[in-house]
Amino acid sequence: MIIDVNEETFIEDVLEQSEELPVIVDFWAPWCGPCRMLSPILEKLAADPNLNFVLAKVNVDNNPNLSMQYRVQSIPAVLAFVDGDVADEFIGVQPEPKIRQFIEKLIPSELDEALDDAESLLATRHWIKAEQMYREIMEEYPNRADVALNLAKALLAQGEGCEARDYLKGIKDGKELMDAEKLLPLANYLCLIAEDLTEDGDLAPLEVQYRQSARLISRGNLEAAMDGLIDVLRLNKRYGQARQVLLALFALLGDDDDLTQTYRVELASVLF
């Protein structure tokens, strides 16, 4: 976990590798007395099996461009890279406990790793697996609003509106509250239709079409569901919660999603 890095290998050995685990870069020089004091401490910590990071050593005499790029004006200088960027730094010799604390703050905990994995599943629309993972996290951390919010998203994408609504209503503050409020119309819509046992034959055609979108969401066909809601709004711009449900679907998928961008244009053309 200790490597020598130069200007040619810096991108691969530091920037790219920091996408996987923290890379601590030690800018040093052979003539630097404090560097000779700091290096053994860093190397000792790099050998600690409880600290999962890479120690990269950069000789400033041989790599002046790196020193200029990262504005290293005094050595020893230690820069910590996470996800390709400088996450933290310090200059000069520090006591070992303080350096250990510096490094520990950079290393993801088991919870951080679990949240990253679950978020990745959510982003790639593996709704069932995301739901399972968020349920496991919630068992250990029942009061985390971010977990409740994302579990609700996974449930909504599967048409489970009633349970999702319970999680959303349990979010009372923080930045997650605003996101929860955006999703509530979708949860209410799915829950209401799931609990209403009225036969389609007893309903008006427009209501049948409105309800069909909820069934399509439950089957994972979000695109067809959005098409159905757009068609409902073409016939009646104020029908039910069709507009609010579409906006909630956009919030569920995110602004950058292709479906969001396509149907946001469709919605605007219908309403305006």
Side-chain angles (χ1 to χ4, degrees), residues 4 17 25 28 34 44 54 71 74 84-86 97-98 103 109 149 157 160 163 174 185 188 221 225 228 240 243 252:
D4 289 313
Q17 191 162 206
V25 181
W28 70 287
K44 177 183 176 182
V54 172
R71 300 178 182 177
S74 177
D85 295 316
V86 177
K98 190 170 182 179
I103 294 170
S109 65
L149 177 67
E160 300 292 336
E163 187 179 2
N188 290 332
N221 196 342
R243 175 177 174 274
L252 173 65

Side-chain angles (χ1 to χ4, degrees), residues 112-178:
D112 293 330
E113 292 176 350
L115 289 172
D116 286 344
D117 290 344
E119 188 173 343
S120 178
L121 290 170
L122 201 64
T124 53
R125 299 189 189 178
H126 290 83
W127 309 117
I128 296 175
K129 290 182 178 179
E131 175 197 345
Q132 292 171 345
M133 183 161 279
Y134 279 118
R135 286 191 188 281
E136 291 173 3
I137 296 171
M138 181 161 280
E139 286 182 6
E140 292 191 51
Y141 303 92
N143 298 318
R144 287 191 63 114
D146 56 342
V147 176
L149 177 67
N150 286 333
L151 176 55
K153 288 181 179 180
L155 291 167
L156 288 172
Q158 299 173 74
E160 300 292 336
C162 297
E163 187 179 2
R165 183 176 62 181
D166 291 340
Y167 286 117
L168 294 173
K169 286 188 173 182
I171 299 172
K172 302 299 183 183
D173 52 31
K175 60 185 180 63
E176 290 82 11
L177 177 59
M178 185 178 297

Side-chain angles (χ1 to χ4, degrees), residues 235-263:
L235 295 171
N236 185 339
K237 294 181 182 181
R238 299 177 180 273
Y239 195 84
Q241 294 287 303
R243 175 177 174 274
Q244 291 87 339
V245 170
L246 271 170
L247 293 175
L249 284 168
F250 298 161
L252 173 65
L253 296 175
D255 291 336
D256 295 331
D257 187 88
D258 290 341
L259 287 179
T260 297
Q261 294 180 5
T262 297
Y263 284 94

